[in-house]
Amino acid sequence: MNHVDDQHSKKQVTAGAPDTLETEEMRFVTEHLKQVAESQDELQELQDVVALLPYAVPPVEPPLRTRRQLLARIAASQSRTAPSAPTTHPARRFAWLSGWRAFVPTFVITLLLLMPLAVLIRSHQLRLAELTQVNTALQSELAQTRADLAQMQQALVALNTEQQAIETQLQATAQEVTTLMQLFSEERFVFTFVTAPGVATRDLVAVDTTINADGAMYMRPGQREAVVLFRGLQPLPPGMVYRFWLADDHDQIAVGTVTAESDGLARLTITAPDAINVFSQVMLTLEPASGGDDPGGTVILEGSL
Amino acid sequence: MAQVIAGNSYALEQLYDRYARVVYGLSLRILANADLAEEVVQESFWRVWQRSATFRVDQGHFAPWLFGIAHNLCIDELRRRRSRPPAATVHPDYPVIMNVADDEQDVDALIWQAEQRRLIRNALQNLPDDQREAIELAYFGGLSQREIARQLNNPIGTVKTRIRLGLQKIRQFLHDQGLGQEGQ
């Protein structure tokens, strides 16, 4: 290689520092570099200068996604080759998780969509449980109410029965009161009659000494009413009655029957067909209940008017 | 970088936070397309992660390695779609030499980056226009020397000379400013 060739080669080599040599030139330079150490040094120096040329351009901040994508790419490669590529940065110990980062937005969106639905379902479940409890309580109350109603119906039936019994007793009592009032009225009449001024008294005496009974007749001359009181009357045999008679010289008239009490007392109020003093005698006979108008039985008491 | 080689993704995150803005700015400048620039940023650091075992910690520096990966991806994309952005010197949105306020928040490393940026801008600004244009068309425009020659209607030898001289002047300028030869 002569001087001219050497200078040409040197220019070729050093001018090729910015990687601007074409294929044929590059082959020439490579061949030359094998032989010329000086050219190698200069080429290296100029290449170092070229390496500084990027600083001549204003730096620009790349988008953040570029960094994220690069790190995700690296993390993916690490996850494929782990554990052969250890990392010392704490935040990168879980770099294998970055592969899941792509699913995070979908997961978050799905979670955001499902959360209201889950809340709604949970709310309905709670509401359903609450309604179930209320329904159970209502059913229990309904059963208790039905039991109470049955008891009340039974009590009502008992009350109705008791009311009917009371009404019956009340009717009987009313009847007794009526009877007592009649008796009281009769007693008052008898008392008034026998205690009134001008009342005449006639005794009725037994016709036989074996009869331990007697009577008294209270009357007013010229009037038809009279009251007769008896005592010592024996209980009657079945089918027999005591009958009281008014008599004069011609006729005998039955004016009533006498019912004796258990103590042998009896009372008879009579209304004669004519004034009492018209009649001359009275008598009490023991007659069959179906007896006729004429006295045929046994005379128990008699008296003269 | 040793931590990245050991499989520590957090270390890669730290490198990303330190250099992603430079890579994205470079990619935007070359590709003039935000989506493609994002892809270049992600792919560059992905390749760093995947090919970290091939990186020689004792011999190389991370920034030139990363920038080389990003630049190659941009150039590949340019050549793949076979359409070229406007020339670097007339790019409306990403002029190479400009004094844009830096809103860096990472303090130490980014202060150093800012200083490097200031120096390299000054170095480019101090170049003759024809040399700066040739370098920018080559590096940011993704054009080969032959394509630059065709575009500038100059002999290819002239293009080679301008590029070489331009780079040598930048190197000298940086050396005079106390900056080494690397952008680490």
Side-chain angles (χ1 to χ4, degrees):
Chain A
M1 184 179 291
N2 57 35
H3 179 70
V4 175
D5 290 339
D6 182 61
Q7 287 299 318
H8 173 72
S9 299
K10 195 171 184 179
K11 187 169 70 174
Q12 283 280 49
V13 168
T14 55
D19 294 333
T20 55
L21 296 179
E22 295 182 351
T23 306
E24 189 61 29
E25 294 171 327
M26 183 59 71
R27 186 178 301 114
F28 174 82
V29 168
T30 303
E31 185 65 26
H32 176 79
L33 288 176
K34 293 178 180 177
Q35 303 173 13
V36 185
E38 183 182 356
S39 295
Q40 290 183 27
D41 294 339
E42 185 175 1
L43 177 62
Q44 182 60 51
E45 290 177 1
L46 296 185
Q47 283 179 335
D48 291 339
V49 171
V50 170
L52 291 173
L53 289 179
Y55 288 116
V57 181
V60 181
E61 187 72 41
L64 288 177
R65 63 173 176 271
T66 306
R67 190 178 195 275
R68 285 199 304 267
Q69 290 170 354
L70 173 65
L71 296 180
R73 198 173 175 185
I74 292 172
S77 70
Q78 284 181 320
S79 66
R80 288 193 297 268
T81 58
S84 59
T87 177
T88 58
H89 187 257
R92 296 295 174 268
R93 289 176 183 169
F94 303 99
W96 60 273
L97 287 174
S98 61
W100 295 97
R101 290 174 185 166
F103 299 98
V104 169
T106 304
F107 176 74
V108 170
I109 292 173
T110 305
L111 189 63
L112 290 176
L113 291 176
L114 289 179
M115 280 182 65
L117 183 60
V119 170
L120 185 61
I121 291 174
R122 181 58 182 161
S123 174
H124 284 184
Q125 286 178 338
L126 293 176
R127 181 62 180 160
L128 180 60
E130 183 180 352
L131 290 177
T132 302
Q133 290 182 347
V134 171
N135 186 38
T136 303
L138 288 176
Q139 286 181 343
S140 176
E141 290 183 6
L142 179 61
Q144 183 64 37
T145 302
R146 285 176 175 171
D148 293 343
L149 181 60
Q151 289 182 350
M152 291 177 67
Q153 286 177 340
Q154 291 179 352
L156 183 60
V157 171
L159 285 174
N160 286 334
T161 303
E162 186 176 357
Q163 182 181 6
Q164 289 178 354
I166 291 173
E167 287 178 353
T168 302
Q169 186 176 1
L170 185 61
Q171 289 177 354
T173 302
Q175 186 65 33
E176 291 178 0
V177 169
T178 301
T179 303
L180 289 174
M181 291 298 291
Q182 289 176 352
L183 291 174
F184 177 73
S185 179
E186 289 176 3
E187 292 292 341
R188 187 173 62 179
F189 173 77
V190 170
F191 177 78
T192 302
F193 191 89
V194 299
T195 58
V199 173
T201 303
R202 300 290 183 270
D203 293 333
L204 281 76
V205 298
V207 296
D208 190 344
T209 56
T210 59
I211 299 174
N212 190 22
D214 59 7
M217 180 176 177
Y218 298 89
M219 53 177 281
R220 290 176 182 172
Q223 293 190 358
R224 297 167 59 193
E225 289 81 13
V227 174
V228 187
L229 301 179
F230 304 94
R231 65 177 181 179
L233 293 178
Q234 297 298 314
L236 289 170
M240 302 298 286
V241 296
Y242 291 112
R243 182 163 291 148
F244 190 76
W245 303 84
L246 291 174
D248 56 13
D249 295 338
H250 304 287
D251 295 319
Q252 297 173 322
I253 301 172
V255 293
T257 58
V258 176
T259 301
E261 301 293 337
S262 59
D263 55 357
L265 297 176
R267 182 188 66 244
L268 178 63
T269 299
I270 61 175
T271 300
D274 201 349
I276 293 297
N277 55 317
V278 174
F279 299 94
S280 58
Q281 288 188 316
V282 295
M283 61 180 178
L284 181 69
T285 62
L286 182 61
E287 301 283 346
S290 59
D293 294 335
D294 295 329
T298 303
V299 177
I300 303 300
L301 298 174
E302 63 182 3
S304 176
L305 299 179
Chain B
M1 188 58 201
Q3 291 293 317
V4 175
I5 296 172
N8 186 346
S9 60
Y10 178 63
L12 183 74
E13 287 184 53
Q14 290 183 313
L15 291 175
Y16 181 93
D17 293 337
R18 183 176 300 178
Y19 294 109
R21 290 157 49 88
V22 178
V23 174
Y24 189 56
L26 172 66
S27 303
L28 278 175
R29 172 64 184 85
I30 296 175
L31 298 173
N33 183 299
D35 292 336
L36 292 175
E38 287 181 41
E39 291 181 9
V40 168
V41 171
Q42 185 183 145
E43 185 63 22
S44 297
F45 283 94
W46 172 248
R47 292 190 179 186
V48 167
W49 174 253
Q50 281 201 314
R51 302 176 184 176
S52 59
T54 64
F55 181 76
R56 297 288 301 274
V57 178
D58 56 336
Q59 294 184 0
H61 302 282
F62 175 71
W65 187 50
L66 170 67
F67 296 158
I69 293 173
H71 185 258
N72 286 336
L73 287 171
C74 290
I75 300 304
D76 289 345
E77 174 60 25
L78 280 181
R79 290 174 179 169
R80 186 187 64 80
R81 62 183 180 178
R82 297 188 181 282
S83 63
R84 300 291 187 264
T89 51
V90 295
H91 196 285
D93 296 329
Y94 306 103
V96 173
I97 300 172
M98 58 189 300
N99 188 19
V100 176
D102 190 357
D103 58 351
E104 292 284 3
Q105 295 178 354
D106 188 4
V107 182
D108 295 337
L110 297 182
I111 286 176
W112 175 236
Q113 287 182 14
E115 177 62 13
Q116 291 178 354
R117 188 157 49 250
R118 185 184 69 81
L119 293 175
I120 193 67
R121 285 173 182 168
N122 289 339
L124 280 170
Q125 201 167 24
N126 289 332
L127 289 180
D129 292 342
D130 55 354
Q131 294 177 10
R132 182 174 64 247
E133 183 180 38
I135 291 174
E136 290 180 352
L137 285 174
Y139 190 78
F140 299 109
L143 299 181
S144 67
Q145 293 175 357
R146 192 179 307 279
E147 290 170 328
I148 295 171
R150 192 160 45 242
Q151 180 168 323
L152 298 179
N153 198 23
N154 287 323
I156 189 170
T158 302
V159 172
K160 294 178 186 293
T161 300
R162 288 175 180 173
I163 291 175
R164 182 189 180 198
L165 290 177
L167 292 176
Q168 286 175 336
K169 287 180 180 178
I170 292 174
R171 180 188 60 182
Q172 187 61 45
F173 177 85
L174 296 177
H175 184 270
D176 293 343
Q177 296 295 321
L179 185 66
Q181 57 181 359
E182 73 288 337
Q184 303 79 15

